[in-house]
């Protein structure tokens, strides 16, 4: 295999200096001449009819330039079900829903005017229990799904709160239960959490005198945003321009339209004046989007030797007041609910349910971290019933090259087993103890702690500390079909500019794509720059989600390089008076076969003279997966190719549990992830390390607390996220390279996967130490004390 010069090297990030010096411009850093500030009156009730709105006093506040109501902007939007309006119409469905907007010359004036608005409500019974909401006859959040336009993959059930039903079937589940020697079943719960990005939602919008709309936004998906606005407003896409600012954290929260719709609403009212809308932290919790809670029931059966024969998973997703990306979360998690295992009989039922709560939407992993917590936790309980080592159980059933997935497709580029083996070796996994009932890797002897007599479950009755190790793995697909486009322009000085629309939000696309291009052209990385993303001139990109950009944008970039090389060969042939068929580009040099005197290094094109008075050299490339995608059957989800690639990985955790306080301390986490090929190894490791810390928060501290639909911990003091002090433990990351045959230089994706197995690995380590699972996240000291009988 040819040694690569740039790909596979841990080069410095191209955006590093800009960000660490503070010169990067984020959404709220932009100031425009004549800019106004927008604030909104938001619903104080979870469910109510709007009887009257009085804005007369607000209009008299000095500095107010415009007030907008829902009736002024009665536009519907949504990725799968167009059930949401820019501002509430007729009724509100969650606390924090915007009803009236104010644009003023100062933020203070806008705030004052909002305080003057009076709204009369007729309260309705709130729908707050997702399991009750899913039942026939429950009060409806949306009275009639059929009145909305339904696009994409959503399957709402009429006369219910279920906005999407997902089903997957493989084999015969009843046959599986009959064949099983051991069956385990349990319920799990993951709470509502906030993305907690450093930068809150923000957007500035301006409508000029010709009706042209320009939006400045830290969006993850500028072309999707343009599409949504064009559809809602009934305008051609050419009338809408999205200029992307730097993104101060996304994790899925900035994939859909939020602050942008509000800014446009006001900009339409005060035409010609730019209006900036920035959410405060409280609005971020109640009025943006969250990761919705979920109840998950898992039932798994196995032969006595540990061979898995059946799995049934039922998921109830609480997607809040509007459907948004709930159906996609349901879809993604449903495909991953069987785990990275070969199981002949599978039944998955996913229900995406609307309630009168904050809107559930995309969150890093699109449902896979949640489903992995449930299925991987139950797998350890199954191992205990089988008296089998949990690692051995996973290795026995793990998918390998050529395995048939839950979807019926034959798999390739599968790195589950190498990942499991890597984390087990590094964590110091111990084999089964003869005659002992297995429940993971328990390490009962802890130096410098008092040891009492062991209770039935193995922990000291009198107190002290115990340790345990746990392991978990996962599989996740990337969204398919989708498309990416790239344009590469050769500049007069021999440098190259890449135009593409994948958004840099920490994952490293601004470095990885230039690495791919530099490798293919055979030039130095310093000669390549990326242009800022602006839909007025940047090429189409579906979205920066689903860990898809390295594969999709990378392949589009390779196609653009191919076209660019063809043009360079034509220019060289003309300059040398030779047939273009004799010109070739090898190792970064344009050469003529049979004539060693003819050679130009691409790095030195500007000095060669072949560009003078010639047409511009511009390469265009695109990569789309519609032609390789086999649309899954909507009932069974069986398909010959449900996705362009699957992502796999495993993590192991070691924890120490204080039996007096119930507090859990993570001592070490080891992660191994199948990346296909690591284009930039350090960037891959950084992604996983950051995801592990995010997973630590999901597992042990993060939970939005609601009382009658009101978020009561809507700030970063009461909603706990990990700090550097919480993350003071070693994290070891291994990269498994399985070389995907269709990826650029073999690469797949790594943006989301690092989060998926963290919570179950920690949970299984606690289970190994205590012999009992905390089945509802987060794993708090209080919950630990309850399961060991001390509360």
């Amino acid at each position: 295999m040819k040694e690569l010069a740039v790909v596979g090297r841990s080069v410095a990030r191209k955006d590093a200096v800009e960000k660490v010096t503070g010169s990067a411009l984020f959404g709220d850093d932009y100031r425009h001449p004549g800019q106004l500030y927008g604030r909104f009156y938001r619903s104080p009730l979870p469910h109510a009819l709007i009887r009257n709105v009085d804005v007369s006093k607000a209009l008299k506040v000095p500095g107010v330039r415009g007030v907008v109501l829902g009736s002024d902007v009665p536009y519907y939007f949504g990725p799968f079900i167009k059930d949401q309006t820019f501002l509430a119409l007729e009724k509100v469905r969650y606390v924090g829903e915007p009803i009236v907007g104010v644009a003023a010359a100062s933020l203070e004036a806008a705030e004052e005017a909002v305080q003057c608005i009076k709204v009369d409500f007729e309260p309705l019974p709130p729908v707050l229990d997702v399991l009750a909401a899913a039942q026939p006859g429950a009060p409806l959040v949306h009275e009639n799904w059929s009145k909305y336009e339904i696009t994409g993959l959503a399957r709402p059930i009429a006369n219910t709160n279920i906005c999407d039903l997902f089903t997957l079937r493989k084999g015969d589940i009843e046959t599986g239960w009959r064949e099983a020697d051991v069956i385990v079943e349990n319920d799990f719960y993951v709470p509502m959490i906030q993305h907690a990005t450093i930068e809150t939602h923000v957007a500035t919008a301006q409508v000029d005198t010709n009706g042209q709309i320009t939006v400045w936004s830290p969006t993850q998906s500028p072309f999707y945003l343009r599409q949504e606005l064009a559809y809602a407003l009934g305008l051609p896409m050419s009338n809408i321009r999205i200029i992307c600012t730097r993104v101060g954290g996304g994790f899925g929260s900035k994939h859909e339209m939020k602050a942008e719709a509000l800014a446009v609403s006001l900009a339409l009212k005060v035409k010609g004046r730019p209006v900036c809308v920035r959410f405060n932290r409280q609005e971020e919790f109640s009025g943006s989007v969250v990761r919705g809670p979920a109840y998950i029931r898992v039932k798994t059966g196995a032969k006595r030797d540990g061979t898995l024969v059946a799995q049934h998973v039922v998921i109830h997703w609480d997607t809040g007041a509007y459907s948004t990306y709930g159906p996609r979360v349901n879809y993604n998690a449903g495909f991953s609910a069987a785990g990275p295992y070969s199981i002949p009989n599978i039944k998955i039922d996913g229900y995406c349910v609307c309630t009168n709560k904050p809107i559930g939407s995309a969150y890093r992993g699109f449902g896979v971290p949640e489903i992995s917590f449930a299925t991987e936790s139950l797998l350890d309980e199954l191992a205990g019933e089988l008296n089998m080592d949990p690692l051995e159980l996973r290795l026995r059933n793990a998918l390998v090259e050529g395995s048939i997935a839950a979807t019926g497709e034959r798999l390739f580029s599968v790195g589950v087993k190498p990942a499991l083996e890597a984390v087990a070796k590094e964590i110091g996994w111990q084999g089964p103890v003869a005659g002992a009932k297995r429940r993971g890797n328990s390490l009962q002897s802890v130096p410098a702690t008092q040891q009492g007599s062991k209770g039935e479950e193995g922990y000291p009755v009198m107190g002290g500390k115990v340790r345990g190790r746990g392991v978990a793995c996962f599989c996740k697909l990337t969204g398919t079909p989708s498309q990416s486009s790239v344009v590469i322009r050769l500049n007069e000085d021999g440098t190259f500019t890449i135009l593409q629309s994948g958004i840099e939000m920490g994952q490293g696309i601004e470095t990885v794509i230039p690495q791919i291009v530099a490798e293919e052209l055979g030039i130095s990385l310093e000669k390549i720059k990326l242009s800022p993303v602006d839909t007025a001139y940047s090429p189409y990109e579906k979205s920066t989600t689903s860990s898809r950009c390295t594969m999709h944008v990378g392949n589009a970039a390779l196609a653009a390089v191919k076209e660019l090389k063809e043009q360079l060969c034509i220019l060289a042939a003309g300059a040398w008076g030779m047939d273009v068929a004799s010109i070739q580009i090898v190792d970064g040099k344009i050469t003529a076969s049979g004539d060693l005197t003819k050679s130009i290094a691409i790095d030195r094109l500007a000095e060669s003279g072949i560009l003078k008075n010639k047409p511009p050299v511009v390469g265009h490339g695109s990569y789309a997966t519609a032609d390789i995608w086999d649309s899954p059957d909507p009932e069974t989800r069986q398909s010959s190719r449900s996705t362009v690639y699957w992502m796999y990985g495993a993590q192991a955790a070691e924890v120490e549990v204080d039996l007096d306080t119930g507090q859990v301390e993570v001592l070490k986490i080891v992660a191994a992830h199948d990346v296909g090929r690591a284009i930039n190894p350090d960037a891959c490791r950084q992604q996983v390390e950051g995801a592990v810390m995010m997973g630590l928060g999901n597992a042990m501290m993060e939970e939005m607390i609601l009382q009658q639909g009101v978020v009561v911990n809507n700030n970063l003091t009461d909603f706990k996220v990990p700090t550097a002090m919480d993350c003071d433990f070693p994290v070891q990351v291994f990269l498994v390279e399985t070389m995907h045959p269709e990826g650029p230089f073999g690469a797949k994706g790594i943006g989301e996967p690092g989060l998926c197995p963290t919570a179950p690995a920690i949970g299984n380590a606690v289970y190994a130490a205590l012999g009992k699972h905390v089945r509802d996240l987060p794993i708090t000291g209080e919950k630990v004390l309850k399961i060991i009988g001390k509360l």
Side-chain angles (χ1 to χ4, degrees):
M1 183 183 294
K2 176 187 172 183
E3 184 177 353
L4 302 178
V6 185
V7 164
R9 310 292 180 184
S10 294
V11 302
R13 295 175 61 105
K14 281 184 167 284
D15 59 335
V17 173
E18 177 190 21
K19 288 181 175 175
V20 300
T21 59
S23 60
L25 293 178
F26 294 86
D28 198 38
D29 292 328
Y30 287 80
R31 294 293 181 269
H32 305 269
Q35 178 175 302
L36 302 176
Y37 297 85
R39 295 296 294 151
F40 288 81
Y41 179 95
R42 295 175 178 272
S43 173
L45 301 174
H47 200 194
L49 296 175
I50 301 171
R51 289 307 187 194
N52 186 60
V53 178
D54 182 358
V55 299
S56 57
K57 290 184 179 179
L59 288 167
K60 295 176 183 177
V61 173
V64 170
R65 299 292 183 265
V67 174
V68 63
L69 284 72
S71 56
D72 298 318
V73 283
Y75 308 123
Y76 285 82
F77 68 97
F80 301 108
I81 302 176
K82 299 199 179 299
D83 57 352
Q84 193 170 179
T85 50
F86 284 25
L87 298 173
L89 283 171
E90 299 179 357
K91 84 170 187 173
V92 292
R93 294 182 171 90
Y94 67 98
V95 173
E97 182 161 14
I99 301 172
V100 185
V102 175
S106 69
L107 192 60
E108 293 76 14
E111 291 275 15
E112 181 182 347
V114 167
Q115 297 301 315
C116 294
I117 295 169
K118 302 298 181 185
V119 180
D120 294 330
F121 296 100
E122 181 183 326
L124 298 171
V127 179
L128 301 175
D129 184 318
V130 68
L131 297 179
Q135 298 305 310
L140 297 178
V141 178
H142 296 266
E143 289 73 20
N144 187 358
W145 291 118
S146 64
K147 78 174 185 179
Y148 304 127
E149 181 177 347
I150 299 172
T151 60
L153 52 79
R155 298 168 65 197
I157 299 178
N159 303 314
T160 74
N161 289 306
I162 299 170
C163 65
D164 181 59
L165 169 66
F166 175 92
T167 55
L168 184 150
R169 304 288 186 266
K170 179 187 177 188
D172 180 74
I173 198 70
E174 296 304 324
T175 298
W177 301 138
R178 288 192 295 270
E179 292 177 353
D181 296 316
V182 176
I183 297 173
V184 293
E185 182 174 15
N186 254 313
D187 294 311
F188 299 86
Y189 174 75
V190 290
M192 179 186 295
I193 60 176
Q194 230 291 315
H195 300 75
T197 57
I198 296 175
E199 173 196 47
T200 62
H201 282 75
V202 59
T204 301
Q206 184 175 23
V207 182
D208 67 18
T209 54
N210 296 318
Q212 179 76 24
I213 299 174
T214 302
V215 179
W216 291 263
S217 167
T219 178
Q220 294 180 223
S221 306
F223 284 88
Y224 169 70
L225 176 57
R226 183 182 71 166
Q227 173 187 313
E228 281 282 77
L229 283 171
Y231 174 91
L233 300 173
L235 294 174
M237 291 185 188
S238 57
N239 278 35
I240 297 171
R241 179 184 183 187
I242 311 298
I243 299 174
C244 295
T245 68
R246 285 296 189 189
V247 181
F251 312 119
S253 70
K254 293 171 184 170
H255 177 31
E256 62 181 86
M257 188 159 66
K258 292 306 298 180
E260 298 85 359
L262 302 183
V264 168
S265 296
L266 288 169
L268 289 167
K269 195 74 172 181
V270 294
K271 289 184 178 177
R273 300 287 294 272
V275 183
C276 178
V277 172
R278 175 177 57 82
F279 288 19
N280 60 35
R281 187 59 65 179
Q282 289 70 38
E283 290 171 322
E284 196 72 3
F285 276 85
S286 299
S288 65
V289 291
V290 300
R291 189 182 88 176
Y295 289 90
I296 306 168
R297 171 164 280 266
V298 187
K299 181 179 180 181
T300 305
K303 294 281 194 180
R304 183 60 62 187
D305 66 358
T307 301
L308 299 178
V309 294
Q311 184 151 299
H312 183 199
V313 182
V314 180
I315 319 159
H316 285 86
W317 302 99
D318 187 341
T319 199
Y322 295 97
S323 60
T324 63
Y325 273 89
R328 186 76 215 190
V329 172
N330 197 17
Y331 181 94
N332 262 35
F335 272 103
S336 298
Y341 307 111
S342 181
I343 306 175
N345 304 291
I346 300 168
K347 182 180 180 182
I348 312 296
D349 297 294
Y351 301 91
C352 192
V353 185
C354 283
T355 62
N356 294 120
K357 294 181 185 176
I359 300 170
S361 188
Y363 183 97
R364 191 176 193 175
F366 268 91
V368 178
E370 300 95 296
I371 199 69
S372 297
F373 171 68
T375 57
E376 287 294 294
S377 296
L378 193 79
L379 204 61
D380 264 35
E381 295 179 17
L382 175 63
E385 291 299 319
L386 291 167
N387 198 25
M388 189 174 188
D389 182 84
L391 175 65
E392 181 187 347
L393 178 61
R394 287 172 169 83
L395 289 170
R396 176 182 290 271
N397 294 282
L399 297 168
V400 296
E401 296 288 320
S403 290
I404 303 300
T407 58
E409 62 192 290
R410 189 170 296 278
L411 299 171
F412 56 92
S413 184
V414 184
V416 185
K417 280 191 173 182
L420 280 167
E421 290 163 350
V423 300
K425 180 179 179 181
E426 182 63 24
I427 203 74
W429 193 269
Q430 297 174 351
V433 177
K437 185 174 180 179
R438 299 303 303 158
R439 60 168 189 270
N441 241 217
S442 57
L443 306 170
Q444 298 298 340
S445 298
V446 181
T449 60
Q450 180 182 353
Q451 296 294 312
S453 61
K454 299 296 180 69
E456 181 182 350
E457 298 294 345
Y459 47 85
V461 174
M462 299 301 295
K465 295 181 180 181
V466 291
R467 290 184 181 182
R469 297 185 182 120
V471 68
C473 49
F474 78 98
C475 62
K476 183 190 181 299
L477 51 66
T478 189
T480 308
S482 67
Q483 181 178 348
S484 296
S485 306
V486 170
V487 176
I488 304 176
R489 185 178 66 232
L490 172 59
N491 302 310
E492 298 87 336
D493 62 355
T495 60
F496 293 83
T497 299
I498 300 174
L499 287 82
Q500 59 84 45
S501 299
I503 302 300
E504 176 61 70
M505 51 185 188
Q507 82 280 36
I509 191 172
E510 288 190 5
T511 306
V512 166
I513 300 306
Q515 282 186 261
I516 291 171
V517 171
E519 186 67 55
E520 191 68 5
L521 281 172
I523 63 173
S524 61
L525 192 61
E526 290 69 29
K527 292 218 167 188
I528 301 174
K529 301 290 184 185
L530 260 72
S531 182
V533 179
D534 181 336
T535 59
Y537 58 80
S538 300
Y540 176 79
E541 174 64 56
K542 182 179 180 181
S543 65
T544 305
T545 57
S546 202
S547 307
R548 57 178 295 283
C549 282
T550 296
M551 163 77 90
H552 291 75
V553 180
N555 275 333
L558 291 177
V561 169
K562 181 181 178 183
E563 185 176 292
L564 193 144
K565 283 182 172 180
E566 291 170 355
Q567 295 174 42
L568 290 176
C569 287
I570 292 171
L571 290 176
W576 294 336
M578 302 180 70
D579 188 335
V580 70
S582 66
I583 309 300
Q584 57 190 356
I585 298 178
V586 179
D587 295 332
K589 292 183 179 180
I590 308 172
T591 61
S593 53
D595 189 344
L596 298 178
T597 65
K598 300 291 190 296
S599 177
I600 302 172
I602 296 178
D603 248 342
R604 305 181 70 84
L605 276 172
E607 304 164 22
S608 70
I610 70 169
L611 302 178
K612 190 174 182 180
N613 299 323
K614 297 298 180 182
V617 178
V618 180
H620 302 79
S622 67
Y623 178 70
T625 54
D627 56 337
I628 65 172
W629 180 60
D630 177 26
S631 179
D633 179 275
E635 297 294 334
T636 67
R637 308 294 171 171
Q638 296 303 292
S639 164
S640 63
R641 189 83 184 269
S642 65
T643 180
V644 65
Y645 62 90
W646 287 88
M647 294 163 274
Y648 307 94
Q651 291 180 18
E654 182 174 338
V655 305
E656 184 173 275
V657 185
D658 187 317
L659 297 172
D660 294 311
T661 66
Q663 293 303 306
V664 177
E665 180 184 358
V666 175
L667 303 177
K668 182 177 183 179
I669 290 181
V670 183
H673 288 266
D674 173 8
V675 298
R677 182 202 284 270
I679 302 295
N680 187 319
D682 274 357
C684 290
R685 295 186 190 100
Q686 290 162 0
Q687 279 294 290
V688 175
E689 287 174 6
V692 165
M693 300 312 170
M694 199 170 182
L696 173 75
N698 292 179
M700 300 185 65
M701 59 189 73
E702 295 174 24
E703 179 179 18
M704 289 174 64
I705 300 170
L706 276 70
Q707 294 177 358
Q708 288 302 302
V710 179
V711 181
V712 297
N713 60 334
N714 59 355
N715 56 75
L716 293 180
T717 298
D718 298 319
F719 179 84
K720 303 297 184 183
V721 296
T723 67
M725 296 291 287
D726 299 304
C727 303
D728 187 23
F729 57 85
V731 177
Q732 182 72 37
V733 179
F734 295 92
L735 303 178
V736 176
E737 296 188 307
T738 57
M739 300 297 178
H740 194 287
E742 296 162 358
F745 298 99
K748 297 197 284 191
I750 193 58
E752 299 164 292
L755 179 65
C756 298
T758 309
I762 293 171
N764 285 339
V766 173
Y767 175 62
L770 301 178
K772 292 186 178 181
H773 254 129
V774 176
R775 298 192 183 96
D776 58 319
L777 295 178
I779 302 169
T780 64
E782 181 181 11
K783 291 176 184 177
V784 168
L785 292 178
K786 282 182 178 179
I787 68 169
I788 65 174
K790 291 192 174 183
L791 267 187

